């Protein structure tokens, strides 16, 4: 999953992944890359996913199951192949005619675990177990929940416990405020995790074992890399965990060395997924796939056409100065534009600040980019945002919009889930005319015109019972991301032939579209893809309500 949450906030805390995007890797027009005609069917008009989990959860999606069966969607509940086996999920291509090895990307929001600035601090927090309260460890009635037969088990799994590595940011609110995002505060991430884990343990845990969180404290004011190293020590040496639910290159290497699962692909591109075979993120969209989906989706909405307010049609692209983000632009945005007979007139790459004290360096680079874009007559701006350094989802977007406003520059923006479109802390006048391709489904407003996301609604019920009440974009995002992180691991372990890394990786490859995420519109995981974000919706910013209005049903980009 993302770094730990998907809170929309620019600091390294995090909003729902985001933001997590989703589906086949074909462009909206199909495998030939041509855009679909107006009115042409672009995919199932509602979620076609199966409920994975306890029986009470299945009831929530019963109506979706019936409609999906009627549509005959591959991977939908009830669909089978000629031998009566569950239908296979579609194979994955990158939409440009090439295959992509086990990729993943990341829609989302601000970085970080709690939804705020990420921090440093090598000191650990809490007791060695940091156990979430309550919950029985007795076995549930579901056969899938019965303890596995004696045999191989992965690190972090004992006869009666499963340990997970979780991050939190006690100073997230202060970090976000320092970065200009004072309104992005979701509270203590541990409250969300404890509520979800307590509910899970009360249902019998996973395979008859109690889930135990091993928390590690990050702080916004300290360099991020030493904190990742301290977290690695805590999660693989001082304690043994089965999975790390956080992002970062150091943690990826740590997880590979320890032979454990890592579930945050936010801010990553195809090469990372090829390099880190134990990385699986059910709701992320790898950056080059996200770039392609964004360009083709915006094209469907006539975003690139010249208008009286934006007459030049010149395109500027800006992203972080980071190998994954540069790959996302060069292998995603630019080839997709070329396929449509368009081109970028300028690309800019922004230095990534690794701690709050150097955030001004990123802001200065963005200010220079704004000036360059405005001087070149660029009036269509694409921002490839995402978690990087001290910033989380929406961080680069906030910097650009604030700098553009101060320089009286008002281009037309083309956003995706990583930009956190419509975020209330953004200047409303900067978002005028903005169109977006949104993969995220962590707020009720994102269900405009379609059935509510049953996994998200169940998640919020669990949180409320645990004393946490999501009420705004930041808390909705953090809540959904928290449930997604824990429930996905639950799903993998229950489906795996054995509770080992290899077992859960094989289970992930067999999920197809069956995993129902509280964070995104739909997921797809198979043997060729480990970034699960699968369905997107097109949307526009409505200046009258300063909110997003959705202009399409969910479709597979």
């Amino acid at each position: 999953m993302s770094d730990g949450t998907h809170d929309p906030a620019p600091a390294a805390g995090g909003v729902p992944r985001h933001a997590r995007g989703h589906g086949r890797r074909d462009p909206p027009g199909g495998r030939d890359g041509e855009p679909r005609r107006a009115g042409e069917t672009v995919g199932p008009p509602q979620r076609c996913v199966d409920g994975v989990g306890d029986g009470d959860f299945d009831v929530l999606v019963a109506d979706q199951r019936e409609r999906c069966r009627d549509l005959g969607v591959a991977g939908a509940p009830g669909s089978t192949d000629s031998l009566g086996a569950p239908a296979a999920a579609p194979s994955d291509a990158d939409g440009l005619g090439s295959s992509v090895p086990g990729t993943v990307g990341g829609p989302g929001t601000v970085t970080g675990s709690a939804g705020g600035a990420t921090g440093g601090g090598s000191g650990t927090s809490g007791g060695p177990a940091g156990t979430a309260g309550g919950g029985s460890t007795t076995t549930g009635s579901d056969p899938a929940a019965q303890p596995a037969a004696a045999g191989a088990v992965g690190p972090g799994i004992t006869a009666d416990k499963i340990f997970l590595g979780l991050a939190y940011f006690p100073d997230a609110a202060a970090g976000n405020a320092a970065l200009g995002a004072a309104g992005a505060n979701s509270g203590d991430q541990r409250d969300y995790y404890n509520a979800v884990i307590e509910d899970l343990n009360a249902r019998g845990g996973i395979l008859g074992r109690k889930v135990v969180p091993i928390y590690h404290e990050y702080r916004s004011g300290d360099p991020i890399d030493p904190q990742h190293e301290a977290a690695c020590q805590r999660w693989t040496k001082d304690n043994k965990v089965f999975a790390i639910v956080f992002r970062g290159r150091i943690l990826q290497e740590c997880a590979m060395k320890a032979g454990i699962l890592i579930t945050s692909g936010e801010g990553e591109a195809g090469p990372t997924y090829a390099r880190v075979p134990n990385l699986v993120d059910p709701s992320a969209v790898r950056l080059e796939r996200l770039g392609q989906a964004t360009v083709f989706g915006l094209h469907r909405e006539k975003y690139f056409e010249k208008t009286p307010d934006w007459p030049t049609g010149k395109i500027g692209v800006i992203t972080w100065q980071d190998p994954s983000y540069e790959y996302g632009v060069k292998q995603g945005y630019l080839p997709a534009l070329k396929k449509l007979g368009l081109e970028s007139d300028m690309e800019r790459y922004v230095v990534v600040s690794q701690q709050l004290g150097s955030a001004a360096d990123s802001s200065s680079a963005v200010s220079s980019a704004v000036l360059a874009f405005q001087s070149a007559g660029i009036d269509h701006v694409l921002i490839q945002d995402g978690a990087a350094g001290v910033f989380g989802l929406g961080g680069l977007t906030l910097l650009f919009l604030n700098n553009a406003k101060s320089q009286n520059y008002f281009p037309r923006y083309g956003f995706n889930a990583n930009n956190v479109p419509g975020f209330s802390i953004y200047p409303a006048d900067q978002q005028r005319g903005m169109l977006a391709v949104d993969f995220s489904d962590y707020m009720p407003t994102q269900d405009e015109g379609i059935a509510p996301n049953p996994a998200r609604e169940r998640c919020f019920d669990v949180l409320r019972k645990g004393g946490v009440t999501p009420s705004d974009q930041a808390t909705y995002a953090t809540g959904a991301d928290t449930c997604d992180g824990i429930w996905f691991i639950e799903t993998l372990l229950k489906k795996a032939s054995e509770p080992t890394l290899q077992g859960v990786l094989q289970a992930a490859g067999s999920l197809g579209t069956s995993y129902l995420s509280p964070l995104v519109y739909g997921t797809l995981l198979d043997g060729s893809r480990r970034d699960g974000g699968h369905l997107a919706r097109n949307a526009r910013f409505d200046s009258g309500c300063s909110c997003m209005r959705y202009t399409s049903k969910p479709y597979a980009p």
Side-chain angles (χ1 to χ4, degrees):
M1 308 302 45
S2 59
D3 343 33
T5 92
H6 276 243
D7 298 357
V15 181
R17 267 173 276 243
H18 154 214
R20 312 196 122 275
H22 335 1
R24 288 168 45 170
R25 297 183 185 179
D26 307 322
R31 295 190 181 275
D32 59 1
E34 293 300 318
R36 287 189 174 90
R37 298 182 296 277
E40 183 176 352
T41 300
V42 295
Q46 69 285 311
R47 295 180 184 82
C48 288
V49 288
D50 199 359
V52 176
D54 297 327
D56 59 340
F57 191 17
D58 290 343
V59 171
L60 291 173
V61 295
D63 60 328
Q64 301 290 349
R65 179 180 296 109
E66 189 63 33
R67 280 176 280 177
C68 292
R69 186 179 295 117
D70 292 342
L71 288 169
V73 177
S79 60
T80 58
D81 62 16
S82 60
L83 299 176
S91 61
D92 213 47
D94 65 2
L96 297 176
S98 61
S99 61
V100 181
T103 49
V104 177
T109 31
V110 219
T111 209
S113 151
T118 136
S122 58
T124 59
S125 65
T131 308
S136 166
T137 59
T138 58
T139 303
S141 59
D142 183 354
Q146 301 300 321
V153 297
I157 297 181
T158 68
D160 60 355
K161 293 182 178 65
I162 296 174
F163 296 91
L164 302 179
L166 307 175
Y168 75 101
F169 308 84
D171 61 346
N176 281 335
L179 293 172
N185 178 25
S186 59
D188 192 331
Q189 177 72 4
R190 290 172 296 179
D191 293 338
Y192 295 79
Y193 277 126
N194 288 343
V196 175
I197 293 172
E198 189 171 318
D199 171 79
L200 175 56
N201 286 335
R203 293 187 282 111
I206 304 175
L207 304 179
R209 296 167 168 91
K210 184 176 182 178
V211 174
V212 179
I214 303 295
Y215 289 114
H216 185 77
E217 176 183 312
Y218 280 75
R219 289 200 167 270
S220 306
D222 297 339
I224 191 71
D225 285 354
Q227 298 186 78
H228 284 327
E229 291 166 356
C232 176
Q233 172 73 26
R234 180 167 179 76
W235 290 331
T236 65
K237 304 294 186 182
D238 301 339
N239 304 272
K240 302 288 186 181
V241 302
F242 179 75
I244 293 174
V245 188
F246 200 51
R247 69 174 175 91
R249 308 290 162 78
I250 290 175
L251 293 181
Q252 292 165 6
E253 297 297 330
C254 174
M256 283 197 294
K257 185 175 180 180
I260 60 178
L261 183 68
I262 184 166
T263 60
S264 178
E266 185 177 336
E268 300 296 352
T272 297
Y273 285 87
R275 178 178 59 84
V276 187
N278 51 322
L279 170 60
V280 185
D281 190 326
S283 53
V285 182
R286 73 183 189 277
L287 293 173
E288 73 275 20
R289 184 161 70 90
L290 182 61
Q292 295 166 25
T294 301
V295 169
F296 289 124
L298 292 173
H299 177 71
R300 287 184 56 203
E301 300 296 319
K302 302 182 175 7
Y303 165 81
F304 296 104
E305 294 184 3
K306 299 176 183 179
T307 68
D309 289 332
W310 300 282
T312 72
K314 289 187 175 182
I315 301 167
V317 182
I318 184 169
T319 193
W320 296 115
Q321 191 175 62
D322 171 271
S324 286
Y325 286 95
E326 293 180 26
Y327 188 92
V329 168
K330 294 173 182 177
Q331 301 299 321
Y333 282 89
L334 302 187
L337 288 170
K338 184 177 180 180
K339 209 169 187 64
L340 297 173
L342 302 168
E343 64 179 2
S344 166
D345 292 276
M346 186 180 296
E347 297 93 48
R348 283 298 182 98
Y349 300 94
V350 177
V351 61
V352 177
S353 299
Q354 298 299 328
Q355 61 187 100
L356 285 177
S358 61
D361 296 338
S362 297
S363 183
S364 177
V366 170
S367 180
S368 296
V370 168
L371 178 60
F373 281 10
Q374 188 172 29
S375 299
I378 289 171
D379 58 9
H380 287 68
V381 173
L382 305 174
I383 304 173
Q384 175 66 301
D385 205 342
V390 74
F391 294 95
L393 292 182
L396 181 58
T397 304
L398 181 66
L399 287 179
F400 194 97
L401 269 58
N402 283 343
N403 275 282
K405 183 177 177 68
S406 70
Q407 296 183 43
N408 201 34
Y409 176 50
F410 294 91
R412 189 178 199 188
Y413 296 98
F415 283 175
N416 57 48
N418 279 19
N419 300 108
V420 195
F423 196 15
S424 60
I425 65 173
Y426 295 160
D429 53 358
Q430 277 288 310
Q431 297 184 84
R432 183 177 69 91
M434 178 262 285
L435 299 181
V437 179
D438 197 1
F439 291 96
S440 298
D441 189 21
Y442 56 85
M443 294 191 296
T445 55
Q446 291 168 322
D447 290 336
E448 179 186 1
I450 63 173
N453 182 340
R456 184 197 65 227
E457 295 305 297
R458 177 196 178 215
C459 172
F460 292 167
D461 283 344
V462 167
L463 291 171
R464 283 189 287 267
K465 290 175 184 177
V468 179
T469 302
S471 59
D472 59 17
Q473 193 162 5
T475 54
Y476 283 137
T478 300
D481 191 63
T482 301
C483 290
D484 198 43
I486 302 300
W487 290 351
F488 182 61
I489 293 171
E490 176 190 10
T491 296
L492 293 183
L493 281 167
K494 287 184 175 180
K495 188 175 181 63
S497 59
E498 60 181 18
T500 63
L501 175 62
Q502 188 61 31
V504 296
L505 291 176
Q506 290 175 347
S510 68
L511 286 176
T513 58
S514 67
Y515 175 69
L516 188 60
S517 169
L519 194 57
V520 296
Y521 289 112
T523 67
L524 171 61
L525 292 162
D526 59 26
S528 64
R529 191 169 101 188
R530 287 176 283 121
D531 57 323
H534 178 63
L535 301 177
R537 298 186 74 187
N538 295 338
R540 63 177 178 83
F541 183 75
D542 185 334
S543 296
C545 63
S546 292
C547 65
M548 300 304 296
R549 299 293 189 187
Y550 289 83
T551 57
S552 79
K553 303 280 189 182
Y555 66 93

